[in-house]
């Protein structure tokens, strides 16, 4: 089935039918206006904050903390020719840790979180709220009235306003921004595959450890954090203490590496070899990119406390101690950490080091779960099962399908690489690309969200790019030595995400352009030209306005329709959550005798779909509330200014819900002079409006609610569209992407009926085929 609808922006040429249709299907401004600011962020006590900081050690900082096991070896893979090179390398490590993890991420990038949510898609969500850059055009001004939809306003002639206009002007710039976000996301996934593989154990043992590690993920971040945190905390204390001991024992003058002048001497002395050694130095800050994505599982303050109090000082001491040891034992660079351990505590430290290496990958695994959940909400990843593992912290999630895919790929990488150096080269490539993407997105965040002066944004960008481009140029020399692996992995995930997003956009455009005229539907009369059978039909659509094409397809092929029809739009917004009080928007379609409603269920990317019974209950409660408040508002003499769901009626919300299920006396239902506040179907003064007024006076709200309850008890049927996309064109790549890749992804991903927990006996699929 194909459909082509041309959209003309000039309303004067559309004719009277278009104008009438716009009046028949007004947006939900008034319904959105009723929602008061009831959402308040949960306050965290000091003890809870310290608890989260402690748990974050086991989840967030394991990767960053185990870098001392292999940094000096990857920096000097061919040995140390001059002991002074050790001081230069240590100086590079010190300032890399200070500039990237501490200053950039912990104190700047973490401030760019979306109400506690981190990662590239969290930055993208912030940008989507401050500029119209979302590629799926389903945003509406009513969404901006959400209490969690915070955004800044700019002066018309400000630099921020000019930047916003430049981004919005062309769709190619919006697509480029999306691709940049997808590249960063793909690299984080590749990072999650490579991190568990970088260890010193033999392949068979490594495989057993990896299977055990990924099997633990289903228990959730909270339990895993409690399990791993003691190990990682003990690890940091040990490496910090050993570092202090080695500085005191071998060379106290190593502390001169805190002077950046030794970086200059290092590059002048080593030349190109010194530059390529940056690929090894880069490994000292791996895990930093996952730090930001893991914010969803903890709090910003908890992440900052753990890093500044424990992680940062212990790492500085550990690297300084190893460097002090190397000044007198340059031949031990390949295994400097284990050689530098005092003999009396060697075996206890060895056991702790092995355990820490096992849990090090937890940071990137957890980060992968978070960004996949965010990508799902933005329509950029096939539908997979997401499990919320904590009742107290909704950001703590587990994605089973992704978990096992990561495990299989990680085992393949572990078995495929010949040595640790190759894995390190691959790992460095993934890390630096993610950092570059974050820097580029932060430029827009600082201008559009924080409204910083362009000079401040320029300084941040310049300093970040100087450091990160230096690392990037160094890892380019190692692409053929293992650095190609993350590029291949990221390319595969990038293709999957972009093709899925392309198909999602085309499906939405199809529904938007082929939606049925409201005038045509209402022209069929209250019976819709069919037999109305007892029950309620929930018609799922991606449209927040208009009648979807699936409905016309349904009624033209079947002779009957349910007594009550509700068009349900499940809509994801670029916010981290939508409070339960603001979840549903309800409006009536046509007059009361049509018994047709529209309900928009709005979700953020952190929210979880509840079970079907709970979703249905809340949906029907919202409809009952709408009916009673509608009846109350019909008696208002100034309905143009009085909001249907204004604050005047908010205080009676709970009482109305109770009354809707009981036999309470109906509210006053005197019809006013206009029905604009209750979605009038035609202009005031027409014969149809007068007939609507007569109908409203004959049926009280209690009568209608009783009718709705009887229909609900008769049975609820979920009507879902099963849309198949095909391409008309003969272009090879487009045909492969749409007819094969997207079709395959649709076949293996979760069905909408599974996501909504729809029972099979209540499900009705309506098939459609359209061509792009």
């Amino acid at each position: 089935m194909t459909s082509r609808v041309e959209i003309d922006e000039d309303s004067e040429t559309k004719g009277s039918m278009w104008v009438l249709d716009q009046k028949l299907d007004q947006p939900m401004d008034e319904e959105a206006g009723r929602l008061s600011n009831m959402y308040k962020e949960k306050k965290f006590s000091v003890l809870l904050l310290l608890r989260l900081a402690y748990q974050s050690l086991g989840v967030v900082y394991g990767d960053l903390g185990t870098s001392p096991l292999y940094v000096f070896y990857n920096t000097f893979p061919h040995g140390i020719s001059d002991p002074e090179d050790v001081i230069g390398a240590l100086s590079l490590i010190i300032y890399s840790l200070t500039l990237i993890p501490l200053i950039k991420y912990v104190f700047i990038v973490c401030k760019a979180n979306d109400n506690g949510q981190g990662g590239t898609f969290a930055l993208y969500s912030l940008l989507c709220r401050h500029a119209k850059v979302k590629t799926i055009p389903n945003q509406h001004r009513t969404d901006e009235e959400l209490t969690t939809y915070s955004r800044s306003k700019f002066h018309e002639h400000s630099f921020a306003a000019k930047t916003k206009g430049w981004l919005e002007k062309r769709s190619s710039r919006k697509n480029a921004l999306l691709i940049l976000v997808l590249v960063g996301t793909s690299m984080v996934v590749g990072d999650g595959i490579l991190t568990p593989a970088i260890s010193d154990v033999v392949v068979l043992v490594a495989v057993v450890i990896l299977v055990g590690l990924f099997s633990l993920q289903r228990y959730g971040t909270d339990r895993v954090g409690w399990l791993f945190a003691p190990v990682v905390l003990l690890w940091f204390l040990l490496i910090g203490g050993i570092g202090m001991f080695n500085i005191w024992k071998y060379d106290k003058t190593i502390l001169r590496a805190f002077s950046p002048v030794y970086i200059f001497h290092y590059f002048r002395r080593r030349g190109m070899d010194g530059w390529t050694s940056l690929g090894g130095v880069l490994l000292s800050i791996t895990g930093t990119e996952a730090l930001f994505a893991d914010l969803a599982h903890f709090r910003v303050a908890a992440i900052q406390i753990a890093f500044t109090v424990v992680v940062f000082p212990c790492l500085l001491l550990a690297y300084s101690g190893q460097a002090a040891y190397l000044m007198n034992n340059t031949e031990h660079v390949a295994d400097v950490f284990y050689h530098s351990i005092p003999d009396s505590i060697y075996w206890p430290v060895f056991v702790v080091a092995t355990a820490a290496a096992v849990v090090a990958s937890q940071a990137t695994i957890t980060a992968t779960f978070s960004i996949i959940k965010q990508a799902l909400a933005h329509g950029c990843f096939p539908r997979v099962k997401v499990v919320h593992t904590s009742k107290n912290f909704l950001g703590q999630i587990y994605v089973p399908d992704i978990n096992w895919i990561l495990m299989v790929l990680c085992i393949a990488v572990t078995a495929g690489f010949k040595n640790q150096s190759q894995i390190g080269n691959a790992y460095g490539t993934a890390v630096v690309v993610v950092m570059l993407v974050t820097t580029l997105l932060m430029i827009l965040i600082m201008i559009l969200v924080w409204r910083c002066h362009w000079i401040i944004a320029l300084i941040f960008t310049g300093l970040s790019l100087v450091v990160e481009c230096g690392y990037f140029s160094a890892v380019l020399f190692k692409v053929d030595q293992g650095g190609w692996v993350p590029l291949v992995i990221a390319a595969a995930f990038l293709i999957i995400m972009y093709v899925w997003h392309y198909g999602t956009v085309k499906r939405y455009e199809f529904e938007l352009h082929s939606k049925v005229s409201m005038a045509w539907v209402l022209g069929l009369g209250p019976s819709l030209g069919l037999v109305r059978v007892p029950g309620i039909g929930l018609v799922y659509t991606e449209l927040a306005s208009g009648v979807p094409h699936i409905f016309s397809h349904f009624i033209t092929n079947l002779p009957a329709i349910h007594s009550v029809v509700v068009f349900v739009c499940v809509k994801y917004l670029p916010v981290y959550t939508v409070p339960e009080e603001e979840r549903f928007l309800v409006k009536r379609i046509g007059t009361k005798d049509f018994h047709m409603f529209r309900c928009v269920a709005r979700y953020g990317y952190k929210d979880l779909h509840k079970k079907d019974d709970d979703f249905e209950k809340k949906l029907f409660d919202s409809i009952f509330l709408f009916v009673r408040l509608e009846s109350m508002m019909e008696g208002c003499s100034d309905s143009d200014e009085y909001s249907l769901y204004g604050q005047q009626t908010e205080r009676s919300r709970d009482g109305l819900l109770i009354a809707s299920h009981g036999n309470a006396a109906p509210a006053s239902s005197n019809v006013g002079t206009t029905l604009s506040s209750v979605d009038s179907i035609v202009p005031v003064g027409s014969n149809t409006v007068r007939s609507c007024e007569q109908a409203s006076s004959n049926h009280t709200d209690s009568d209608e609610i009783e009718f709705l309850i009887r229909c609900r008890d008769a049975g609820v049927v979920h009507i879902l569209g099963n849309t198949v996309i095909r391409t008309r064109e003969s272009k090879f790549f487009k045909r492969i992407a749409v007819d094969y890749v997207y079709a395959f992804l649709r076949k293996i991903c979760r069905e909408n009926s599974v996501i909504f927990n729809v029972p099979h006996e209540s499900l009705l699929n309506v098939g459609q085929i359209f061509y792009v």
Side-chain angles (χ1 to χ4, degrees):
M1 180 180 298
T2 61
S3 179
R4 293 289 182 270
V5 179
E6 298 295 331
I7 300 179
D8 189 357
E9 296 298 329
D10 186 3
S11 61
E12 294 181 358
T13 64
K14 296 178 186 294
S16 58
M17 181 57 71
W18 183 89
V19 176
L20 173 61
D21 195 49
Q22 295 302 301
K23 292 178 180 178
L24 297 179
D25 191 27
Q26 293 295 323
M28 297 183 173
D29 295 341
E30 295 183 359
E31 287 77 357
R34 74 179 174 86
L35 299 168
S36 60
N37 188 356
M38 299 179 66
Y39 176 76
K40 294 183 180 179
E41 188 176 359
K42 181 180 178 181
K43 294 183 179 179
F44 282 71
S45 65
V46 175
L47 289 178
L48 181 57
L49 198 61
L50 292 177
R51 167 194 161 185
L52 291 174
Y54 171 70
Q55 285 183 295
S56 71
L57 290 173
V59 175
V60 179
Y61 293 114
D63 184 14
L64 191 63
T66 53
S67 295
L69 290 172
Y70 44 76
V71 167
F72 276 110
Y73 166 65
N74 284 276
T75 304
F76 300 104
H78 305 297
I80 300 172
S81 56
D82 187 345
E84 287 296 311
D85 291 343
V86 176
I87 299 177
L90 176 61
S91 188
L92 280 168
I93 292 171
I94 289 172
Y95 282 96
S96 295
L97 283 170
T98 303
L99 292 175
I100 303 299
L102 181 65
I103 296 178
K104 178 187 173 181
Y105 274 89
V106 173
F107 289 112
I108 297 180
V109 175
C110 281
K111 293 292 184 182
N113 67 89
D114 186 10
N115 288 276
Q117 306 297 301
T120 50
F121 268 107
L123 298 178
Y124 183 64
S125 295
L126 283 172
L127 294 175
C128 287
R129 295 208 299 271
H130 289 78
K132 296 178 181 178
V133 295
K134 192 174 181 182
T135 52
I136 301 178
N138 63 347
Q139 292 173 285
H140 192 269
R141 60 180 175 272
T142 56
D143 301 331
E144 300 171 9
E145 296 177 11
L146 285 170
T147 54
T148 53
Y149 200 102
S150 58
R151 64 172 187 168
S152 304
K153 295 182 180 180
F154 342 101
H155 188 273
E156 184 179 356
H157 301 291
S158 65
F159 185 73
K162 293 177 181 177
T163 304
K164 176 176 178 289
W166 180 81
L167 276 175
E168 296 174 348
K169 190 174 182 180
R170 295 185 180 178
S171 58
S172 59
R173 292 166 186 166
K174 300 178 185 179
N175 287 325
L177 179 63
L178 176 65
I179 291 174
L180 180 67
V181 172
L182 295 181
V183 167
T185 303
S186 303
M187 283 295 178
V188 172
V189 176
D191 199 1
I193 294 170
L194 292 169
T195 305
I198 187 165
S199 62
D200 293 313
V201 296
V202 296
V203 173
L204 182 60
V205 177
V207 170
V208 174
I209 292 174
L210 289 174
V211 172
L213 175 65
F214 283 100
S215 298
L216 286 174
Q217 301 305 314
R218 64 189 181 92
Y219 293 105
T221 306
D222 190 58
R223 294 181 181 179
V224 170
W226 281 116
L227 178 64
F228 291 169
V231 175
V232 179
L233 178 60
L234 180 60
W235 166 254
F236 276 117
L237 295 177
L238 283 174
I239 63 174
I242 294 171
M244 292 177 62
F245 174 79
N246 287 332
I247 293 171
W248 172 79
K249 181 178 180 180
Y250 293 102
D251 191 351
K252 299 182 184 66
T253 64
I254 199 68
L255 297 179
R256 57 197 164 123
F258 280 84
S259 171
V261 70
Y262 289 96
I263 297 176
F264 171 74
H265 293 323
Y266 177 79
F267 286 129
R268 187 182 64 177
R269 191 166 49 248
R270 297 200 66 193
M272 183 58 68
D273 289 339
W275 192 258
T276 56
S277 70
L278 284 175
V281 176
L282 174 64
L283 296 179
S284 66
I285 56 176
T286 55
T288 305
E289 72 292 346
L291 179 152
F292 182 48
D294 282 329
L295 283 184
H297 297 258
F298 300 99
R299 296 279 294 180
V300 175
I303 298 289
Q304 292 173 332
I305 290 171
F307 187 84
T308 54
V309 175
V310 178
V311 178
F312 186 64
C314 288
L315 286 176
L316 291 183
L317 288 171
Y319 286 115
S320 298
Q322 289 186 28
Y325 178 85
L326 285 174
M327 292 293 289
N328 300 314
N329 303 275
T330 56
E331 69 279 4
H332 291 161
V333 67
D335 218 0
V336 61
F337 174 78
Y338 292 104
H339 281 99
S340 65
I341 300 174
D343 294 337
S344 59
I345 59 171
Y346 179 83
W347 287 110
V349 174
F350 178 83
V351 173
V352 175
T354 304
V358 170
V359 304
S361 58
Q362 186 60 46
T364 50
I365 295 173
T366 305
T368 302
F369 293 159
S370 295
I371 61 172
I372 290 298
K373 175 68 168 69
Q374 296 171 7
L376 281 171
H378 284 276
C380 295
F381 202 84
R383 296 182 296 269
V384 292
K385 183 179 182 180
V386 177
V387 179
H388 285 244
T389 58
S390 173
K391 294 181 180 179
N392 298 322
F393 308 104
L394 290 180
Q396 297 185 0
I397 60 173
Y398 165 63
V399 186
D401 297 334
I402 298 300
N403 182 67
W404 303 123
I405 290 174
L406 287 179
M407 186 190 74
V408 171
L409 293 177
C410 186
I411 291 174
V413 169
T414 304
F417 277 112
K418 296 180 180 179
N419 56 56
Q420 187 194 77
S421 179
Q422 286 185 326
I423 300 179
N425 294 336
Y427 191 20
T429 305
V431 169
V432 73
V433 171
V434 176
M435 290 180 177
L436 283 170
V437 169
T438 302
T439 298
L440 296 176
L441 292 175
M442 281 299 299
I443 299 172
L444 296 176
I445 292 293
M446 297 181 79
I447 295 173
L448 297 179
V449 181
W450 292 350
R451 291 179 292 175
C452 296
H453 196 280
W454 65 270
I455 294 179
I456 297 177
L458 183 63
I459 293 173
F460 170 82
T461 306
L463 291 175
S464 298
L465 290 181
V466 164
V467 176
E468 291 163 4
C469 286
Y471 283 129
F472 183 67
S473 63
V475 299
L476 287 179
F477 289 101
K478 299 186 177 183
V479 170
D480 60 336
Q481 302 172 29
W484 57 272
V485 174
L487 300 179
V488 173
I489 295 173
F493 277 92
L494 177 63
I495 291 172
I496 290 172
M497 289 192 287
Y498 189 78
V499 168
W500 182 265
H501 183 74
Y502 176 81
T504 302
V505 171
K506 291 302 178 183
R507 286 178 59 230
Y508 180 82
E509 290 177 351
F510 169 75
E511 283 210 39
L512 183 65
H513 295 167
S514 62
K515 65 181 182 180
V516 181
S517 166
M518 190 70 70
W520 176 80
V521 173
L522 299 181
L524 298 175
S527 68
L528 301 177
L530 304 169
V531 177
R532 302 295 290 265
V533 298
I536 296 180
L538 301 181
V539 183
Y540 289 84
T541 174
E542 296 185 14
L543 299 178
S545 63
V547 177
H549 188 268
I550 180 180
F551 184 69
S552 66
H553 187 70
F554 181 84
I555 64 176
T556 54
N557 287 277
L558 292 176
I561 192 65
H562 300 88
S563 299
V564 178
V565 176
V566 182
F567 296 104
V568 181
C569 171
V570 177
K571 181 179 180 181
Y572 281 97
L573 303 179
V575 296
Y576 70 105
T577 187
V578 176
E580 286 291 338
E581 299 83 8
E582 305 177 54
R583 176 83 65 213
F584 294 98
L585 294 179
V586 180
K587 67 175 286 187
R588 185 187 297 279
I589 297 178
T591 56
K592 291 186 177 182
D593 50 358
F594 275 80
H595 300 302
M596 296 174 66
F597 299 90
R598 181 189 316 286
C599 180
V600 178
R602 303 180 294 183
Y603 290 86
Y605 52 80
K606 191 181 78 172
D607 292 326
L608 173 69
H609 280 294
K610 302 299 182 182
K611 289 185 178 180
D612 183 59
D613 292 340
D614 190 36
F615 179 81
E616 279 189 15
K617 180 180 180 301
K618 291 181 178 180
L619 186 148
F620 290 133
D621 283 347
S622 300
I623 294 175
F624 296 152
L625 178 63
F626 172 86
V627 171
R628 295 195 66 83
L629 291 177
E630 180 189 50
S631 179
M632 289 174 59
M633 289 308 305
E634 286 176 352
C636 296
S637 59
D638 193 11
S639 56
D640 282 329
E641 297 180 0
Y642 191 99
S643 172
L644 173 61
Y645 288 122
Q647 293 181 356
Q648 294 91 331
T649 59
E650 183 64 36
R651 62 180 178 271
S652 61
R653 175 187 179 99
D654 295 334
L656 288 172
L657 282 176
I658 295 171
S660 68
H661 295 287
N663 296 319
S668 174
S669 59
N670 295 326
V671 181
T673 57
T674 177
L675 295 177
S676 62
S677 65
V678 291
D679 286 298
S680 58
I681 62 168
V682 286
V684 175
S686 69
N687 293 330
T688 309
V689 170
R690 285 191 287 272
S691 65
C692 294
E693 294 174 354
Q694 183 65 32
S696 297
S697 64
N698 291 334
H699 299 281
T700 65
D701 59 317
S702 296
D703 292 336
E704 183 172 14
I705 289 174
E706 290 176 3
F707 173 76
L708 291 173
I709 292 175
R710 289 197 304 271
C711 291
R712 183 187 63 182
D713 295 340
V716 178
V717 175
H718 300 258
I719 304 172
L720 280 75
N722 186 15
T723 306
V724 178
I725 302 178
R726 292 287 184 266
T727 178
R728 289 184 183 276
E729 301 180 12
S730 58
K731 294 181 180 179
F732 177 76
F733 290 108
K734 187 172 183 179
R735 183 173 293 277
I736 292 294
V738 175
D739 291 354
Y740 296 97
V741 178
Y742 183 75
F744 175 73
L745 294 175
R746 282 292 302 272
K747 185 177 295 185
I748 64 173
C749 76
R750 300 183 86 209
E751 295 289 342
N752 278 324
S753 58
V754 177
I755 296 175
F756 299 132
N757 295 287
V758 178
H760 287 289
E761 61 271 15
S762 302
L763 175 64
L764 180 61
N765 271 317
V766 180
Q768 296 181 103
I769 299 177
F770 76 92
Y771 294 86
V772 296

